[in-house]
Amino acid sequence: MKKNCILVVNPVSGALDKSEFIDATIDFARTKDLKLHLYTTSGENDIENLRLLYTHHKPERIIVAGGDGTIKMVTEAMENEDVILGILPAGSANGLAADLNLSSVFEENLEIAFGDHFMDIDIVSINNEKSIHLSDLGLNAELIRNYENSSIRGKLGYALQALTTLIDLEEPFTATIQANNQTLVCDARMIVIANSKKYGSGIVINPNGIMNDGKFELIILKNLDLIVLLKIITGNMPIYSEDVEIISTDKATITTNVPVNFQMDGEYYGYKSQLDIAILSKK
């Protein structure tokens, strides 16, 4: 009897036509003697629908064709199940795939997604929501808000909104951070909650990030002038400067003096003034 596998596809992520992804994945699963069941996300009741599909088919693995937001959704749906997730990067934000050094060649990623090598990674709980990659308060979240409200998708859309966001730059916010039995009060342009190293663009924001060490990092960007931005973009993260502070911990609370734009794994989550954060090891 053939083993079951589920392919989860986000049809709108990354402004890509997914039909070729789907056909190639179905053909590849056939070579592995797997029965593939397709689930296309709609943005409504996806977690509940995926759990029902899992209960019905009991797949040995779930292949995700989408970006960080789609992977996050599948992770939340499957957090209590023992199932392997394979990734086919196909989103606007593919940060986790970048962190895992997945190939830019689709056929190579198929081999990896259906292969026998896997790892357990941590999940970060933020206000009881799950983040598997990078979340942040401030400038980048504002950029993602602007991108989600725009009609132009893909890299061009990001570039245009990055320009708009920098032109309309908001004032720094004041954050009170409680972690490792200490309290830090500082002004910041952006605070990153990182379970890994880099954004989908390849920019390294957390040089010391490890996805299965039982810790997450808070990267506090106190200054984001042009020089600091250029250092970050060119891979020269100024971690030993007064502009950046990094805290490694397994639990933290962030409180801000005003509500600040917040995003999780590439999706905008509105304005927040308090985040309660904890690591969930090797979920």
Side-chain angles (χ1 to χ4, degrees):
M1 189 175 180
K2 287 187 177 182
K3 291 183 178 178
N4 289 316
C5 177
I6 294 174
L7 171 62
V8 177
V9 177
N10 183 340
V12 299
S13 63
L16 298 171
D17 179 9
K18 304 300 191 308
S19 56
E20 288 186 19
F21 276 61
I22 294 169
D23 292 342
T25 307
I26 290 171
D27 289 342
F28 194 88
R30 196 174 291 127
T31 68
K32 296 288 186 180
D33 204 31
L34 292 168
K35 186 174 182 180
L36 195 84
H37 304 273
L38 176 64
Y39 179 77
T40 302
T41 64
S42 66
E44 295 184 9
N45 302 316
D46 286 321
I47 288 177
E48 294 83 353
N49 292 339
L50 195 53
R51 284 174 178 164
L52 287 171
L53 201 61
Y54 177 87
T55 301
H56 184 69
H57 294 295
K58 294 293 183 186
E60 70 157 19
R61 72 182 63 204
I62 297 175
I63 309 298
V64 186
D68 290 333
T70 312
I71 298 167
K72 167 182 155 53
M73 183 278 292
V74 176
T75 300
E76 287 197 58
M78 295 293 108
E79 65 176 315
N80 295 318
E81 308 298 346
D82 185 13
V83 61
I84 296 170
L85 301 186
I87 300 170
L88 301 176
S92 301
N94 298 300
L96 184 62
D99 254 310
L100 293 170
N101 295 315
L102 292 183
S103 173
S104 59
V105 179
F106 178 72
E107 290 76 15
E108 291 179 7
N109 286 328
L110 272 177
E111 293 278 359
I112 296 167
F114 283 92
D116 296 324
H117 299 284
F118 59 88
M119 64 184 287
D120 294 322
I121 68 171
D122 301 333
I123 293 175
V124 182
S125 173
I126 306 175
N127 290 357
N128 294 317
E129 292 271 359
K130 307 301 187 301
S131 171
I132 57 171
H133 184 238
L134 293 172
S135 303
D136 51 60
L137 279 164
L139 186 64
N140 185 58
E142 187 180 346
L143 163 59
I144 288 173
R145 180 197 66 183
N146 292 340
Y147 175 78
E148 288 188 358
N149 289 333
S150 74
S151 57
I152 303 172
R153 315 307 287 175
K155 290 182 179 179
L156 176 61
Y158 265 118
L160 291 172
Q161 294 311 318
L163 185 61
T164 300
T165 304
L166 288 171
I167 290 171
D168 299 331
L169 196 62
E170 294 182 356
E171 289 296 310
F173 56 91
T174 302
T176 302
I177 300 169
Q178 295 174 304
N180 300 327
N181 297 316
Q182 294 181 319
T183 300
L184 170 70
V185 180
C186 62
D187 291 336
R189 288 282 186 189
M190 181 170 154
I191 299 176
V192 185
I193 301 118
N195 190 34
S196 50
K197 291 185 179 181
K198 39 186 163 174
Y199 283 107
S201 59
I203 294 172
V204 175
I205 196 72
N206 182 27
N208 302 320
I210 299 172
M211 285 184 278
N212 57 358
D213 64 348
K215 301 274 188 180
F216 63 88
E217 281 72 46
L218 299 176
I219 298 90
I220 306 157
L221 300 167
K222 300 174 182 178
N223 175 26
L224 271 180
D225 64 19
L226 190 58
I227 293 172
V228 175
L229 274 172
L230 285 172
K231 284 181 179 179
I232 294 171
I233 290 167
T234 55
N236 299 297
M237 181 72 179
I239 55 176
Y240 302 110
S241 77
E242 60 186 18
D243 298 319
V244 178
E245 185 163 349
I246 299 178
I247 299 170
S248 184
T249 186
D250 60 1
K251 188 177 182 181
T253 298
I254 301 173
T255 308
T256 59
N257 65 320
V258 293
V260 180
N261 287 296
F262 176 62
Q263 70 87 17
M264 291 181 70
D265 292 340
E267 296 200 3
Y268 183 65
Y269 271 73
Y271 286 89
K272 303 293 179 185
S273 53
Q274 180 167 321
L275 299 178
D276 296 308
I277 313 160
I279 199 76
L280 304 174
S281 294
K282 297 185 178 180
K283 293 289 285 186

